[in-house]
């Protein structure tokens, strides 16, 4: 069976699950669907829903924040509105020197559309993308 037959979910390592819960639930508004252990850490992981189903595993690990790459992207209809709502919740945008950003931190996306980035407390990077 090809892997394309199966649902895919992003997994994000965090250094402290309590702080991650405050960010992912409190600031991003993601609903927790499940919680469980992470290695030897009781209650050290969460599965969050997005887009109508499970979308993001967050687990406590010493590998948190080690990747400089974008780990997951939300494809949104109104990037300005989502950026404004995240800013109001205290989420800071990431700006990259090689791109020209507007006042909200949004830049043109390669191939058309717009993109903005933000990070969780461990420095894990996420993106918001919109076709217009």
């Amino acid at each position: 069976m090809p892997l394309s037959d199966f649902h895919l979910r992003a997994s994000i390592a965090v250094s402290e699950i309590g702080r991650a819960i405050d960010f992912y639930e409190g600031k991003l508004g993601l609903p927790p669907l499940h919680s469980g252990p992470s290695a030897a850490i009781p209650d050290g992981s969460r599965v969050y829903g997005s887009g109508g189903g499970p979308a993001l595993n967050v687990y406590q690990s010493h590998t948190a924040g080690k990747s400089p790459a974008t780990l997951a992207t939300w494809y949104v209809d109104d990037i300005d509105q989502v950026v404004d709502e995240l800013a109001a919740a205290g989420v800071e945008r990431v700006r990259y020197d090689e791109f020209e950003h507007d006042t909200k931190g949004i830049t043109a996306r390669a191939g058309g559309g717009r993109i903005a980035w933000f990070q969780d407390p461990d420095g894990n990077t996420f993106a918001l993308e919109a076709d217009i």
Side-chain angles (χ1 to χ4, degrees):
M1 274 186 253
L3 288 179
S4 61
D5 289 345
F6 303 97
H7 179 75
L8 178 66
R9 190 180 311 160
S11 293
I12 308 299
V14 298
S15 62
E16 185 182 320
I17 194 67
R19 184 173 67 167
I21 290 168
D22 290 343
F23 180 80
Y24 289 93
E25 294 174 30
K27 292 188 177 197
L28 300 187
L30 296 177
L33 304 178
H34 306 283
S35 64
S38 176
I41 304 161
D43 204 36
S45 70
R46 296 288 182 281
V47 174
Y48 290 107
S50 187
L56 191 64
N57 295 331
V58 175
Y59 63 98
Q60 187 168 318
S61 172
H62 67 278
T63 63
K66 304 277 188 204
S67 174
T70 300
L71 298 178
T73 301
W74 279 271
Y75 296 90
V76 300
D77 294 327
D78 187 340
I79 195 169
D80 290 286
Q81 179 182 351
V82 174
V83 165
D84 289 346
E85 290 172 0
L86 290 175
V91 176
E92 295 182 29
R93 275 117 22 237
V94 174
R95 295 172 188 259
Y96 295 101
D97 292 338
E98 62 265 33
F99 299 114
E100 190 172 315
H101 299 271
D102 67 14
T103 57
K104 294 182 180 189
I106 302 170
T107 189
R109 179 180 68 191
R114 300 165 70 212
I115 186 169
W117 293 272
F118 65 94
Q119 293 178 331
D120 75 1
D122 286 298
N124 293 308
T125 303
F126 299 94
L128 303 168
E129 290 192 26
D131 289 334
I132 55 172

